[in-house]
Amino acid sequence: MKINVGEQLSTTVYLVPEGTKLEMISDEAAQYALNHLKFKGNLNEKFIYLGPNTDNIVVVGLGHLDHLTKDHYVQAAYTAAKVLNEQKVESTSVQIKPYGTVDEKNTLQGITEGFLQADYSFDTYKKEKTKYSLTSVSLLTDLKNAQEAIEEVRLLLEAVNVTRDLVNTPANDLYPETLANKVTDLFKDTDVQVEIFDKQALEELGAKALLAVSQGSSKEPRMLVLKYLPLGDEEPVISLVGKGVTYDSGGYAIKSAKGMSTMKTDMAGAGAMIGALHAIVSNNIQQNVVCVIGATENLISGEAFKNGDIIHTLKGTTIEVINTDAEGRLVLADVLYYAATKLNSKYIIDAATLTGAVIAALGQNITGTMTNNQSFLDKVTAASKTAGEDMWQLPITPEFREKIKGNHADLINSSINFVGAGTIFAAAFLEHFVEDVPWVHLDIAGTSYASSNGNKYLPKGASGIPVKTLYEFVKNVK
């Protein structure tokens, strides 16, 4: 889809808050809407007046003016795009009009995103490809540098779709080696330095927890270190750490068939960090960022690690494996410690499909957040609100720092004697490996993938969360 600043076309989209007088838009259309449809402007409420002898307009509600945000423009524009595609409209103009506290640039960018969100589908494996009629959008605005603002959003959504494509790709095609190859190709001819640790390099490094998880698979693990350093090698970096379990059977704590059906998505944290870095690089954001990915499969064989094993880590901490299906935190133990000690990390953010417990606590549309540094998390949360990606903080208390301690090893990887709060237990475990570097943990088990229709404007399948939040944070943090 091409989106540009342009001219008035034969079809026009208007996005209006509650209470807007439709007479301001079109007398004939307004009279019909008010008399027969009682259009009020509720969020995503639609008034469609298309076809011969009409004004060829689509009006979509933004909701209550007092609560209006940029994300409401995204939702309403997405709704308009879906309507236009259903009506086989090929091009439209959109009236850019800010309301409430949303300024014109955010209005423009929200509308741009909404149309682009409606243009994604994952049909790589389908014979019949998805076809959308709407191919051209003309934004009516006098905003200075409007085209640059549009391009920023286009590149950001391109990166979100990189994440979606990675997460949606099945595990027979995406495994540690092919993930590394895709990332190498993605950042070819950019300023990103790509370093790939194969099994031998991981053994030499001492990443024994990551290696333990990989033992059951014939596919060897990888650790990816992607360095983007526009400020120079000596300046601190923001480290983005991702869990990249490209398939998770649960190991000997085997999942059910239903539970395994979407376990190709257990690398969504890695996919999000790769997409975020792609957005940062494409938009030439001047921040030092390093992405660290631990990639492995968690399968069963005669070589697989087992419940009851005691394994070592890059840090030197020993871990008693209570549950082989709590493998993501073992992978992250090594890559978080690498980010904390081998890189000049000012901040560390990890994203992982870590616990089913976060879904029980927050549902499928809210990411769980935890931290060792409140002011840092506050900045990430502010970025998430700008991005329209809902997040909620859970605590890490001294009680849980005690509960992760083991009897026969330094730590245990899963709870034994208590029920519930698995998300907090896992975060307390991860905290042990960040060495007091300011750190935020994002548990995206619920938000990274939707088996049915996605939330708001997100597609079925991979959502691309939290790429937009990470981009906003990195772009604006001081």
Side-chain angles (χ1 to χ4, degrees), residues 271-301:
M273 296 314 191
I274 293 163
L277 184 63
H278 183 59
I280 291 160
V281 173
S282 298
N283 279 307
N284 195 31
I285 303 302
Q286 295 299 292
Q287 296 272 22
N288 279 2
V289 181
V290 179
C291 181
V292 188
I293 303 298
T296 180
E297 293 183 325
N298 182 26
L299 298 179
I300 297 172
S301 75

Tab-separated table of all heavy atoms in Angstrom, residues 271-301:
chain	number	residue	atom	x	y	z
A	271	GLY	N	12.032	-12.800	18.077
A	271	GLY	CA	11.491	-12.128	16.900
A	271	GLY	C	11.222	-10.662	17.148
A	271	GLY	O	11.483	-9.806	16.287
A	272	ALA	N	10.716	-10.341	18.343
A	272	ALA	CA	10.420	-8.950	18.679
A	272	ALA	C	11.693	-8.113	18.750
A	272	ALA	O	11.727	-6.964	18.277
A	272	ALA	CB	9.673	-8.876	20.003
A	273	MET	N	12.748	-8.663	19.323
A	273	MET	CA	13.994	-7.904	19.439
A	273	MET	C	14.639	-7.683	18.075
A	273	MET	O	15.206	-6.616	17.794
A	273	MET	CB	14.952	-8.626	20.383
A	273	MET	CG	14.442	-8.731	21.818
A	273	MET	SD	13.774	-7.162	22.422
A	273	MET	CE	13.591	-7.476	24.158
A	274	ILE	N	14.533	-8.688	17.208
A	274	ILE	CA	15.070	-8.545	15.851
A	274	ILE	C	14.279	-7.474	15.099
A	274	ILE	O	14.850	-6.605	14.424
A	274	ILE	CB	15.012	-9.895	15.125
A	274	ILE	CG1	15.986	-10.877	15.780
A	274	ILE	CG2	15.325	-9.737	13.630
A	274	ILE	CD1	15.728	-12.332	15.425
A	275	GLY	N	12.953	-7.517	15.213
A	275	GLY	CA	12.132	-6.507	14.561
A	275	GLY	C	12.381	-5.115	15.106
A	275	GLY	O	12.455	-4.134	14.351
A	276	ALA	N	12.525	-4.998	16.416
A	276	ALA	CA	12.793	-3.698	17.026
A	276	ALA	C	14.107	-3.120	16.518
A	276	ALA	O	14.195	-1.932	16.177
A	276	ALA	CB	12.810	-3.821	18.546
A	277	LEU	N	15.140	-3.950	16.462
A	277	LEU	CA	16.431	-3.466	15.964
A	277	LEU	C	16.303	-3.042	14.504
A	277	LEU	O	16.885	-2.030	14.096
A	277	LEU	CB	17.493	-4.558	16.117
A	277	LEU	CG	18.907	-4.142	15.709
A	277	LEU	CD1	19.422	-3.015	16.606
A	277	LEU	CD2	19.867	-5.327	15.754
A	278	HIS	N	15.536	-3.793	13.728
A	278	HIS	CA	15.331	-3.433	12.325
A	278	HIS	C	14.676	-2.054	12.211
A	278	HIS	O	15.076	-1.228	11.370
A	278	HIS	CB	14.453	-4.496	11.660
A	278	HIS	CG	14.224	-4.276	10.193
A	278	HIS	ND1	15.258	-4.203	9.283
A	278	HIS	CD2	13.082	-4.108	9.488
A	278	HIS	CE1	14.757	-4.008	8.071
A	278	HIS	NE2	13.440	-3.935	8.179
A	279	ALA	N	13.683	-1.770	13.045
A	279	ALA	CA	13.033	-0.462	13.032
A	279	ALA	C	13.998	0.643	13.431
A	279	ALA	O	14.014	1.731	12.829
A	279	ALA	CB	11.832	-0.472	13.979
A	280	ILE	N	14.802	0.379	14.449
A	280	ILE	CA	15.764	1.362	14.953
A	280	ILE	C	16.800	1.695	13.887
A	280	ILE	O	17.120	2.872	13.638
A	280	ILE	CB	16.445	0.812	16.224
A	280	ILE	CG1	15.422	0.766	17.371
A	280	ILE	CG2	17.661	1.640	16.612
A	280	ILE	CD1	15.809	-0.166	18.505
A	281	VAL	N	17.302	0.675	13.213
A	281	VAL	CA	18.324	0.872	12.184
A	281	VAL	C	17.727	1.549	10.952
A	281	VAL	O	18.304	2.494	10.400
A	281	VAL	CB	18.964	-0.482	11.803
A	281	VAL	CG1	19.914	-0.327	10.624
A	281	VAL	CG2	19.703	-1.071	13.000
A	282	SER	N	16.551	1.093	10.522
A	282	SER	CA	15.923	1.644	9.323
A	282	SER	C	15.616	3.125	9.472
A	282	SER	O	15.724	3.896	8.505
A	282	SER	CB	14.626	0.890	9.019
A	282	SER	OG	14.873	-0.468	8.748
A	283	ASN	N	15.239	3.533	10.679
A	283	ASN	CA	14.920	4.941	10.926
A	283	ASN	C	16.115	5.739	11.440
A	283	ASN	O	15.954	6.895	11.862
A	283	ASN	CB	13.746	5.050	11.896
A	283	ASN	CG	12.409	4.865	11.203
A	283	ASN	OD1	12.119	5.541	10.212
A	283	ASN	ND2	11.587	3.944	11.686
A	284	ASN	N	17.288	5.107	11.417
A	284	ASN	CA	18.541	5.797	11.743
A	284	ASN	C	18.502	6.446	13.121
A	284	ASN	O	18.941	7.581	13.317
A	284	ASN	CB	18.859	6.845	10.674
A	284	ASN	CG	20.295	7.336	10.741
A	284	ASN	OD1	21.203	6.595	11.133
A	284	ASN	ND2	20.518	8.593	10.381
A	285	ILE	N	17.966	5.718	14.104
A	285	ILE	CA	17.917	6.222	15.473
A	285	ILE	C	19.330	6.224	16.061
A	285	ILE	O	20.032	5.211	16.011
A	285	ILE	CB	16.976	5.359	16.336
A	285	ILE	CG1	15.569	5.323	15.721
A	285	ILE	CG2	16.935	5.871	17.767
A	285	ILE	CD1	14.917	6.664	15.542
A	286	GLN	N	19.711	7.336	16.625
A	286	GLN	CA	21.084	7.499	17.115
A	286	GLN	C	21.210	7.056	18.576
A	286	GLN	O	21.341	7.862	19.497
A	286	GLN	CB	21.533	8.948	16.931
A	286	GLN	CG	21.627	9.378	15.480
A	286	GLN	CD	22.645	8.548	14.703
A	286	GLN	OE1	23.853	8.635	14.951
A	286	GLN	NE2	22.184	7.733	13.764
A	287	GLN	N	21.141	5.746	18.755
A	287	GLN	CA	21.351	5.117	20.057
A	287	GLN	C	22.146	3.836	19.825
A	287	GLN	O	21.930	3.132	18.831
A	287	GLN	CB	20.018	4.746	20.718
A	287	GLN	CG	19.123	5.910	21.062
A	287	GLN	CD	19.404	6.493	22.437
A	287	GLN	OE1	20.490	6.321	22.976
A	287	GLN	NE2	18.437	7.188	23.000
A	288	ASN	N	23.063	3.541	20.723
A	288	ASN	CA	23.772	2.268	20.669
A	288	ASN	C	22.855	1.158	21.180
A	288	ASN	O	22.386	1.208	22.324
A	288	ASN	CB	25.031	2.311	21.526
A	288	ASN	CG	26.194	2.985	20.831
A	288	ASN	OD1	26.065	3.473	19.707
A	288	ASN	ND2	27.351	3.029	21.492
A	289	VAL	N	22.624	0.170	20.343
A	289	VAL	CA	21.730	-0.933	20.692
A	289	VAL	C	22.386	-2.248	20.309
A	289	VAL	O	22.938	-2.379	19.213
A	289	VAL	CB	20.369	-0.813	19.967
A	289	VAL	CG1	19.448	-1.963	20.368
A	289	VAL	CG2	19.710	0.529	20.257
A	290	VAL	N	22.333	-3.208	21.232
A	290	VAL	CA	22.819	-4.560	20.940
A	290	VAL	C	21.693	-5.545	21.224
A	290	VAL	O	21.071	-5.497	22.296
A	290	VAL	CB	24.065	-4.928	21.763
A	290	VAL	CG1	24.513	-6.360	21.448
A	290	VAL	CG2	25.206	-3.955	21.479
A	291	CYS	N	21.424	-6.397	20.282
A	291	CYS	CA	20.398	-7.427	20.415
A	291	CYS	C	21.086	-8.767	20.657
A	291	CYS	O	21.992	-9.145	19.897
A	291	CYS	CB	19.570	-7.455	19.134
A	291	CYS	SG	18.238	-8.643	19.109
A	292	VAL	N	20.691	-9.463	21.718
A	292	VAL	CA	21.278	-10.766	22.060
A	292	VAL	C	20.159	-11.810	22.085
A	292	VAL	O	19.187	-11.665	22.833
A	292	VAL	CB	22.000	-10.725	23.419
A	292	VAL	CG1	22.754	-12.039	23.650
A	292	VAL	CG2	22.962	-9.543	23.503
A	293	ILE	N	20.322	-12.836	21.276
A	293	ILE	CA	19.288	-13.862	21.115
A	293	ILE	C	19.866	-15.226	21.467
A	293	ILE	O	20.917	-15.615	20.934
A	293	ILE	CB	18.782	-13.914	19.656
A	293	ILE	CG1	18.257	-12.549	19.208
A	293	ILE	CG2	17.744	-15.022	19.481
A	293	ILE	CD1	17.090	-12.039	19.984
A	294	GLY	N	19.179	-15.950	22.332
A	294	GLY	CA	19.524	-17.348	22.585
A	294	GLY	C	18.552	-18.233	21.832
A	294	GLY	O	17.352	-18.205	22.111
A	295	ALA	N	19.039	-19.006	20.869
A	295	ALA	CA	18.168	-19.783	19.984
A	295	ALA	C	18.430	-21.278	20.140
A	295	ALA	O	19.574	-21.738	20.042
A	295	ALA	CB	18.378	-19.362	18.527
A	296	THR	N	17.360	-22.025	20.388
A	296	THR	CA	17.471	-23.473	20.544
A	296	THR	C	16.092	-24.108	20.361
A	296	THR	O	15.074	-23.408	20.378
A	296	THR	CB	18.013	-23.841	21.932
A	296	THR	OG1	18.115	-25.261	22.052
A	296	THR	CG2	17.104	-23.329	23.041
A	297	GLU	N	16.060	-25.407	20.173
A	297	GLU	CA	14.836	-26.177	20.301
A	297	GLU	C	14.861	-26.881	21.654
A	297	GLU	O	15.927	-27.126	22.222
A	297	GLU	CB	14.717	-27.213	19.183
A	297	GLU	CG	14.537	-26.623	17.801
A	297	GLU	CD	14.347	-27.683	16.729
A	297	GLU	OE1	14.970	-28.761	16.836
A	297	GLU	OE2	13.585	-27.442	15.785
A	298	ASN	N	13.683	-27.218	22.165
A	298	ASN	CA	13.561	-27.997	23.398
A	298	ASN	C	12.796	-29.268	23.069
A	298	ASN	O	11.564	-29.274	23.034
A	298	ASN	CB	12.836	-27.195	24.474
A	298	ASN	CG	12.736	-27.946	25.797
A	298	ASN	OD1	13.558	-28.811	26.098
A	298	ASN	ND2	11.731	-27.616	26.600
A	299	LEU	N	13.536	-30.345	22.791
A	299	LEU	CA	12.933	-31.594	22.334
A	299	LEU	C	13.356	-32.760	23.224
A	299	LEU	O	14.144	-32.598	24.163
A	299	LEU	CB	13.330	-31.874	20.879
A	299	LEU	CG	12.864	-30.842	19.849
A	299	LEU	CD1	13.346	-31.228	18.454
A	299	LEU	CD2	11.344	-30.706	19.860
A	300	ILE	N	12.826	-33.934	22.907
A	300	ILE	CA	13.102	-35.143	23.673
A	300	ILE	C	13.938	-36.109	22.839
A	300	ILE	O	13.642	-36.355	21.665
A	300	ILE	CB	11.796	-35.842	24.094
A	300	ILE	CG1	10.988	-34.938	25.026
A	300	ILE	CG2	12.074	-37.176	24.776
A	300	ILE	CD1	9.610	-35.471	25.341
A	301	SER	N	14.980	-36.640	23.455
A	301	SER	CA	15.764	-37.725	22.866
A	301	SER	C	16.560	-38.363	23.994
A	301	SER	O	16.460	-37.951	25.154
A	301	SER	CB	16.721	-37.192	21.788
A	301	SER	OG	17.816	-36.526	22.391
